[in-house]
């Protein structure tokens, strides 16, 4: 089975990214041939600082390995190292409609928050479709917020196949059973996010332990004192899901454990559980980030494997679409016309 997912290097990675995506990557790498892509080309679609992109790309690579991605098992690579991605995106743009892109909720949300709305932000899902389809991907582990983009990738692949002949594999999105949408601790009606959330309600994987404890201690809860999940209790429901993941328990077991204990003690314990979850990751991260040569070596090896896997799919797309194949230099030499 082929597994693919992408994650942006810009914006510090948070508990939502960890539970919705990174933890799933680590689990799914056991199930097949996995490709995980640091999507730096996606990061430039909103305002960003070029002087920080290099550091955030290497930092994310270190974090992915620290969280448990095994370079012997998974192919971890940087999107801009594999030119097939933007090339395939251009081809797929011809089978993606303007109307489809206009309906993407992430575009609408992010466009509302920007003064300058780039064309790249609008066509972002086409590049994402290319990322996924180039690897003949079967499953895409993601958080709930990316569901619409993978549905678009499926529609685009089906349209390509219908128009040019069976070429692309139709991917399926997979979501974690618990924690597919981790909410902001201060405003639990919105998802945890470094761009759209609150600083105090966003728990970063690399936050110092005391910062994590404080963020949970001050998390907004709801009226009442029962530790149970309910649509009227978005804050407590979110904390129960986080606790279930951090302690590797079912949410029901968390509810039963805290029955009658009130919110205060529960919030302190969730904070401690997340500190324990992130402690070993932070330690491994520090070590890996210190060895830049090794990180670069791993990413170069990943890029080579990714190029090998994606190139034949890109060539097949060109062939199906009727492009003239470029001739090699040797053939040109043989056919060179005589000088007059
Ligand atoms: N709150 C979340 N809960 C569960 N999963 C989440 N993901 C993101 N937020 C949550 C998942 O993380 C993966 C990587 O996403 P990304 O790198 O594209 O990050 P993002 O979605 O841009 O991160 P942010 O900080 O949430 O930024 P905004 O709000 O700007 O998009 C994806 O699989 C995503 O589902």
């Amino acid at each position: 089975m082929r597994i693919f997912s992408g994650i942006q290097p810009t914006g510090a990675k948070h508990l939502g990214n960890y539970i919705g995506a990174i933890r799933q990557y680590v689990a799914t790498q056991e199930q097949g041939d996995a490709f995980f892509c640091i999507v730096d080309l996606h990061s430039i679609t909103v305002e960003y600082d070029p002087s920080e992109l290099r550091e955030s790309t290497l930092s994310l690579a270190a974090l992915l390995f620290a969280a448990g991605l095994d370079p012997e098992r998974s192919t971890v690579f940087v999107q801009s190292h594999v030119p097939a991605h933007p090339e395939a995106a251009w081809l797929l743009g011809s089978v993606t409609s303007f109307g489809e892109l206009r309906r993407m909720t992430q575009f609408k949300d992010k466009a509302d928050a920007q003064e300058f709305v780039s064309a790249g932000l609008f066509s972002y899902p086409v590049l994402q479709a290319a990322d996924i389809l180039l690897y003949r991907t079967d499953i895409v582990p993601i958080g709930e917020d990316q569901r619409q983009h993978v549905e678009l990738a499926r529609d685009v692949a089906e349209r390509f196949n219908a128009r040019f002949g069976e070429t692309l594999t139709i991917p399926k999105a997979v979501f974690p059973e618990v924690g597919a949408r981790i909410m902001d601790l201060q405003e639990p009606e919105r998802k945890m996010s470094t761009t759209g959330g609150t600083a105090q309600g966003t728990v970063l994987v690399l936050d110092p332990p005391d910062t994590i404890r404080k963020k949970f201690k001050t998390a907004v809860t709801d009226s009442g004192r029962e530790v149970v999940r309910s649509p009227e209790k978005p804050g407590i429901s979110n904390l129960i899901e986080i606790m279930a993941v951090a302690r590797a328990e079912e949410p029901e077991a968390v509810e039963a454990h805290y029955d009658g204990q009130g919110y205060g003690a529960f919030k302190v314990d969730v904070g401690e559980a997340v500190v324990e979850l992130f402690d070993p990751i932070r330690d491994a991260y520090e070590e890996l980030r210190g060895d830049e040569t090794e990180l670069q070596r791993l990413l170069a090896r990943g890029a080579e494997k990714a190029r090998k896997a994606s190139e034949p799919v890109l060539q097949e797309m060109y062939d199906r679409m009727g492009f003239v194949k470029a001739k090699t230099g040797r053939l040109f030499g043989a056919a060179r016309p005589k000088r007059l």
Side-chain angles (χ1 to χ4, degrees):
M1 183 169 64
R2 208 23 108 62
I3 300 139
F4 177 95
S5 198
I7 181 162
Q8 296 197 62
T10 40
K13 294 301 121 179
H14 53 75
L15 183 63
N17 297 133
Y18 179 76
I19 295 180
I22 300 172
R23 196 176 56 106
Q24 280 207 93
Y25 301 170
V26 176
T28 51
Q29 72 178 343
E30 310 291 332
Q31 297 166 14
D33 188 16
F35 287 76
F36 299 110
C37 182
I38 298 173
V39 292
D40 53 351
L41 296 173
H42 284 283
S43 284
I44 64 167
T45 58
V46 290
E47 188 69 36
Y48 79 103
D49 185 347
S51 66
E52 286 173 10
L53 185 59
R54 181 181 186 280
E55 168 54 30
S56 57
T57 302
L58 293 172
S59 165
L60 177 57
L63 186 64
L64 292 175
F65 293 124
L69 285 187
D70 174 359
E72 296 306 319
R73 210 178 256 278
S74 293
T75 304
V76 178
F77 68 102
V78 177
Q79 188 184 31
S80 63
H81 296 178
V82 185
H85 289 238
E87 272 191 76
W90 182 257
L91 302 185
L92 292 174
S94 68
V95 283
T96 311
S97 75
F98 175 79
E100 281 174 317
L101 292 177
R102 207 175 35 181
R103 284 195 292 277
M104 294 292 116
T105 52
Q106 185 172 300
F107 170 70
K108 287 192 265 189
D109 293 347
K110 289 198 174 177
D112 281 348
Q114 307 284 317
E115 214 166 277
F116 176 81
V117 180
S118 72
L121 185 64
F122 185 66
S123 55
Y124 180 117
V126 188
L127 179 57
Q128 189 170 345
D131 298 338
I132 297 168
L133 300 174
L134 272 173
Y135 295 88
R136 301 200 192 287
T137 301
D138 299 297
I139 64 163
V140 190
I142 43 166
E144 183 58 47
D145 60 329
Q146 291 296 324
R147 181 188 289 273
Q148 200 186 23
H149 286 170
V150 177
E151 272 165 19
L152 179 77
R154 288 166 61 88
D155 292 344
V156 164
E158 278 167 5
R159 201 169 298 131
F160 187 99
N161 289 348
R163 176 136 179 235
F164 302 113
E166 229 25 66
T167 312
L168 302 170
T169 302
I170 312 298
K172 183 173 173 284
V174 294
F175 307 94
E177 273 171 35
V178 177
R181 191 174 180 82
I182 296 297
M183 310 308 277
D184 188 288
L185 299 189
Q186 291 297 317
E187 294 180 12
E189 306 74 31
R190 59 155 88 178
K191 73 160 189 159
M192 190 177 283
S193 156
T194 41
T195 54
T198 66
Q200 184 68 10
T202 304
V203 178
L204 306 181
V205 180
L206 298 175
D207 265 343
D210 277 344
T211 307
I212 297 180
R213 289 187 185 104
K214 203 161 169 202
K215 285 180 178 175
F216 278 99
K217 224 175 183 167
T218 56
V220 164
T221 42
D222 321 275
S223 54
R225 57 186 308 276
E226 294 295 298
V227 178
V228 287
R229 284 163 301 157
S230 130
E232 286 87 57
K233 290 170 170 269
I236 280 296
S237 303
N238 189 38
L239 293 176
I240 292 171
E241 293 214 354
I242 294 170
M243 186 61 151
V245 171
R247 287 269 159 88
E249 285 176 2
E250 293 300 323
E252 292 76 13
V254 175
E255 290 170 342
H257 187 100
Y258 288 93
D259 187 22
Q261 292 194 33
Y263 292 158
F266 176 56
K267 287 202 288 186
V268 170
D269 285 3
V270 185
E272 213 46 53
V274 172
V275 166
E276 280 168 27
L277 179 72
F278 286 162
D279 259 349
I281 298 176
R282 198 179 323 101
D283 290 347
Y285 167 84
E286 301 292 350
E287 198 172 311
L288 282 155
R289 186 64 196 94
D291 190 349
E292 195 157 317
T293 315
E294 176 61 3
L295 265 184
Q296 295 271 20
R297 190 186 68 81
L298 292 173
L299 291 175
R301 203 172 67 168
E304 200 183 320
K305 281 164 78 182
R307 280 193 291 267
K308 271 202 186 120
S310 57
E311 194 53 36
V313 181
L314 179 68
Q315 284 315 320
E316 198 181 333
M317 289 170 72
Y318 275 125
D319 288 349
R320 297 273 194 189
M321 293 179 83
F323 286 91
V324 173
K325 255 202 173 97
K327 299 295 180 200
T328 66
R330 201 174 55 78
L331 282 175
F332 270 126
R336 197 182 300 147
K338 282 198 188 98
R339 282 229 175 114
L340 293 176

